[in-house]
Amino acid sequence: MEEKDCIFCKIIRGEVPSQKLYEDDKVYAFRDINPVAPVHILIIPKKHIVGIQTLEEEDECLVGHMFTVAKKIAQQEGIAPDEDLNRGYRLVFNVGKDAGQTVFHLHLHLIGGRQMSWPPG
Ligand code: AMP
């Protein structure tokens, strides 16, 4: 899909509304419109990347930054593990249709605020 038609590129450009939690020159974070848990946030790169399936070595720092931002937001949202490792959250990339990817702009799901189960569905 072209950047001009990408829903997440439109969110970054402000053409589609979002509940923004964080933004810097590389990434943008906002609440998922259809949350699967009390906290469900998406961290996306401003660069249009289809997904992990098309990730290039030059984007390794960018993906690392996405995780650091996710960690900080989890702390702000009060779901980060405490010193006894209670609480917690899940970080997920769905990669491809079989994995459940529906938006083809790289996004890291930050999901928490309830007890998780394993394996995921
Ligand atoms: P995935 O299924 O991994 O591709 O995740 C895409 C996520 O984007 C889903 O959880 C959707 O609920 C979410 N989503 C799609 N459109 C929007 C939107 N306009 N604002 C916020 N979240 C969205």
Side-chain angles (χ1 to χ4, degrees):
M1 183 183 288
E2 299 291 328
E3 280 186 47
K4 66 179 174 58
D5 297 322
C6 169
I7 182 78
F8 286 179
C9 287
K10 288 180 179 175
I11 285 174
I12 293 164
R13 292 196 295 264
E15 295 167 14
V16 169
S18 68
Q19 281 187 265
K20 181 172 84 171
L21 293 169
Y22 177 85
E23 180 177 15
D24 62 25
D25 58 328
K26 296 185 186 65
V27 305
Y28 189 98
F30 56 105
R31 292 197 191 277
D32 196 293
I33 203 168
N34 187 22
V36 299
V39 177
H40 188 170
I41 293 157
L42 301 173
I43 298 100
I44 65 176
K46 289 190 169 175
K47 176 180 178 181
H48 181 81
I49 297 170
V50 166
I52 293 291
Q53 58 272 56
T54 63
L55 196 66
E56 309 258 10
E57 278 185 27
E58 66 184 30
D59 298 318
E60 283 176 356
C61 283
L62 178 58
V63 173
H65 183 56
M66 291 169 69
F67 279 107
T68 305
V69 168
K71 175 194 160 185
K72 288 179 185 161
I73 294 174
Q75 289 167 337
Q76 287 165 12
E77 292 286 312
I79 59 173
D82 62 18
E83 58 200 17
D84 297 321
L85 300 179
N86 293 313
R87 295 194 299 270
Y89 53 88
R90 191 165 286 172
L91 295 173
V92 176
F93 285 111
N94 290 326
V95 187
K97 291 181 181 173
D98 275 6
Q101 186 176 4
T102 58
V103 176
F104 290 87
H105 179 125
L106 183 65
H107 50 282
L108 178 59
H109 293 262
L110 165 58
I111 301 167
R114 65 167 169 80
Q115 180 66 51
M116 303 282 164
S117 60
W118 192 264

